[in-house]
Each structure stands twice: as structure tokens, then as C-alpha cells.
């Protein structure tokens, strides 16, 4: 078990959280590209990160060196409005010059098992990630790692069934692989996340608490932090 060295940052508003994450991502990209010639970024799904993606779409960066992965994807038809990759594309990826061959979508339309098998090789070739962006659900889930779900902890990518958050079938990078990253940043905003934040900070064994990287930063707004 790695020591818990999570750094907690409480900012006034959701916009402040997005700005802080945006800056951290650009800084991480500059360092990664300077040191290793590439920047391997894992995008979060859900709605919270959209503000960050819209800021990134306006940024001036060496996009030719960026490599994009997804922490999870919903098993919906390709192009479906509810897919995490569609949101990221509309808010960010369709507006910058990252080569399409460097954006690694999860083929979730194939169903959980097939898509997980395929994405395992992608993740294996990518590790370690430079920066992993994650959200958190009201139950303390992250990516598509849900409380009470059993997975083979050695897997790099899981097939997910019976997700309590629709749709029921998903694909998720595993806690092990998400933690194999130089930096992990959680974005958590809104009063509806207060209870899960409180449980996490009190040591509850939630999926968010199992992403064990050397550098984990949680950026939350005042509404999400009970104080
Ligand atoms: C998804 C996400 C999920 C999300 C959290 C938070 O597919 O929905 O991967 O893990 O990050 O549920 O969602 P919000 O940002 O919309 O609150």
C-alpha cells in the first residue's frame, strides 16, 4: 500500500477548479515534452472536466507531442452524444492539432469484453501516464470503478457490467493502471459530492481512494468541501 500523500486544494468556484487543472495540465505537458518528447494524458469523463477541455481548446501547445487516452468509456454506439469521447472531442480534441493517430479512443461500441481486451494493449504500451485526470461520483466512484464491484486487480483495463450510473455497460482503465502515472488530478465540484469527499477524507475505502500514485492532487470547489 503506497503512503497516502494526497494533496487537497479547495478553491472558491468550479471555474477556479477548471483554471487550476488547466494550468497543471499545461505545466505537466511542457515538462513531459522537454524531458521525454511526448505528453501522455488520460482524460476524465462526465461533466466536470468539460470546463477544462474548453480552456485547453484555446491553449497554445505543441499538440504534435500530445497523446490522449480515456479513463473510461460508456458502451454506447460510436458517436453517441453520451460518450465521454464525444464530449472531449466537441469541447477540446476537435479544436486542436493533436494527430488523430495519437488519440486512443476506447472501442466501447464493441461491448465491455471486446473493448477491454483491445484497450489493454493500448494502455500497456502507454504506461506510465504523465497525467491522469479523474472525476468522482456521489458514491465515490471514479472512471467506471464503482463501489462493491469486483475486478481482477492485475488487469490494466476492466469490462464493467451493472454500472449504477447509466449506461450499465462500460470499459474502465483499472485502479492499478490509473495509478501508474506521474501525476493524478481529481476534479470535484458541487454540493452533491460533499458526502463522498467527507468519507474519502475520513479514510473510507472508496474507489477514488484506491488510485495510488506518488502525486495525487484533488481540486475541489467550496461546494464540494464541507470544511
Ligand atoms: C462517467 C465518468 C464518471 C464521472 C463521475 C463524475 O463516465 O460518467 O467517467 O466517473 O467522472 O461520475 O461525473 P460528473 O463530473 O458529471 O459529476
Amino acid at each position: 500500500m503506497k503512503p497516502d500523500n494526497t494533496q487537497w486544494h479547495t478553491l472558491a468556484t468550479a471555474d477556479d477548479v477548471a483554471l487550476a487543472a488547466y494550468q497543471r495540465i499545461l505545466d505537466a505537458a511542457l515538462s513531459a515534452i522537454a524531458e521525454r518528447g511526448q505528453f501522455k494524458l488520460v482524460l476524465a469523463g462526465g461533466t466536470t472536466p468539460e470546463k477544462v477541455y474548453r480552456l485547453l481548446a484555446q491553449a497554445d501547445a505543441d499538440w504534435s507531442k500530445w497523446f490522449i487516452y480515456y479513463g473510461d468509456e460508456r458502451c454506447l454506439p460510436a458517436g453517441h452524444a453520451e460518450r465521454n469521447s464525444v464530449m472531449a472531442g466537441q469541447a477540446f480534441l476537435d479544436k486542436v492539432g493533436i494527430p488523430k493517430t495519437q488519440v486512443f479512443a476506447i472501442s466501447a461500441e464493441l461491448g465491455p469484453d471486446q473493448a477491454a481486451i483491445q484497450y489493454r494493449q493500448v494502455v500497456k504500451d502507454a504506461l506510465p501516464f504523465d497525467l491522469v485526470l479523474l472525476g468522482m461520483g456521489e458514491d465515490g466512484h471514479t472512471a467506471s470503478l464503482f463501489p462493491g464491484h469486483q475486478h481482477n486487480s492485475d488487469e490494466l483495463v476492466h469490462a464493467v457490467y451493472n454500472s449504477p450510473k447509466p449506461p450499465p455497460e462500460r470499459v474502465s482503465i483499472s485502479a492499478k493502471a490509473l495509478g501508474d502515472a506521474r501525476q493524478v488530478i481529481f476534479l470535484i465540484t458541487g454540493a452533491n459530492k460533499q458526502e463522498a469527499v467527507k468519507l474519502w477524507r475520513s479514510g473510507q475505502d472508496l474507489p477514488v481512494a484506491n488510485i495510488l500514485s506518488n502525486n495525487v492532487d484533488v481540486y475541489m470547489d467550496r461546494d464540494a468541501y464541507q470544511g
Side-chain angles (χ1 to χ4, degrees), residues 45-49 72 74 84 135-137 141-143 165 170 193:
T47 58
T48 304
D72 68 331
R74 305 164 181 187
N84 292 328
M136 181 191 75
H141 79 257
T142 190
K165 178 176 182 181
R170 292 159 165 260
K193 307 294 176 75

Side-chain angles (χ1 to χ4, degrees), residues 114-158:
Q114 274 307 310
I117 290 167
Q118 271 192 15
Y119 214 60
R120 282 174 192 143
Q121 190 58 53
V122 171
V123 170
K124 186 177 180 185
D125 294 345
L127 292 179
F129 295 120
D130 289 304
L131 193 150
V132 172
L133 201 53
L134 289 168
M136 181 191 75
E138 295 177 23
D139 59 358
H141 79 257
T142 190
S144 287
L145 305 170
F146 293 95
H149 281 208
Q150 301 301 320
H151 293 294
N152 173 349
S153 58
D154 291 333
E155 283 179 345
L156 295 179
V157 180
H158 300 314

Side-chain angles (χ1 to χ4, degrees), residues 16-31:
D16 296 329
V17 167
L19 204 53
Y22 161 75
Q23 201 51 61
R24 283 291 304 272
I25 293 167
L26 290 184
D27 292 347
L30 283 174
S31 305

Side-chain angles (χ1 to χ4, degrees), residues 8-14 17 48 136 187-201 218-227:
W8 300 83
H9 312 268
T10 307
L11 303 172
T13 67
V17 167
T48 304
M136 181 191 75
L187 302 181
I188 302 173
T189 62
N192 62 324
K193 307 294 176 75
Q194 269 185 23
E195 190 54 30
V197 166
K198 186 180 169 194
L199 289 173
W200 181 3
R201 288 172 65 90
V218 181
Y219 287 91
M220 51 191 169
D221 65 0
R222 242 194 326 249
D223 287 343
Y225 178 60
Q226 221 155 5

